[in-house]
Amino acid sequence: MPGLHSAAAHDPGRQPARRTPVRTCIGCRTRSEADGLLRVVVVHGALTPDPRRRLPGRGAWLHPALECLHRAERRSAFPRALRVPGKLDVAAVREHLIVANGIRETPGSVTDESKVDPS
């Protein structure tokens, strides 16, 4: 029965399109392609960045921005997403983001949620 399937679907030389996985940033809760997010895992009780996505265990995804890290910390999202009890030290992830983005962190450099002018 002609017309049921498109010709492109039956073309033996055509390569199927590869889709990149979509993940949710635990900081800002927006969905993005996994290529643009940083995977983090827990190794020996410490939060560890996994830029190569090779470390074993449950992972959580985060935009490589200090704002998203701050939001995830404030919401206590890491222990929930990684299913571990208690607080996790985010120093290694913060250091990774600072080095990767070339940022000099100073006190107060992470923006707060409030946009109210203090003056």
Side-chain angles (χ1 to χ4, degrees):
M1 297 177 79
L4 289 179
H5 301 286
S6 67
H10 294 287
D11 184 7
R14 179 186 159 120
Q15 294 291 326
R18 290 194 83 165
R19 290 192 228 181
T20 57
V22 175
R23 301 288 184 255
T24 301
C25 172
I26 65 170
C28 64
R29 306 288 302 156
T30 58
R31 294 172 55 90
S32 298
E33 291 183 352
D35 295 342
L37 298 172
L38 172 67
R39 182 176 186 257
V40 293
V41 296
V42 176
V43 177
H44 302 296
L47 201 58
T48 307
D50 184 17
R52 294 182 58 221
R53 301 179 184 118
R54 298 289 185 261
L55 294 175
R58 186 171 183 84
W61 298 84
L62 182 73
H63 282 113
L66 289 174
E67 293 83 18
C68 286
L69 176 64
H70 176 68
R71 286 180 181 173
E73 281 183 283
R74 192 175 59 83
R75 294 179 40 246
S76 300
F78 288 112
R80 278 195 312 272
L82 297 168
R83 297 183 183 167
V84 295
K87 294 193 76 143
L88 294 169
D89 182 24
V90 298
V93 176
R94 178 174 277 115
E95 184 65 27
H96 175 83
L97 293 178
I98 290 170
V99 170
N101 293 329
I103 299 171
R104 279 190 57 205
E105 187 176 30
T106 58
S109 64
V110 177
T111 58
D112 291 328
E113 291 294 312
S114 174
K115 300 292 183 189
V116 177
D117 185 16
S119 56

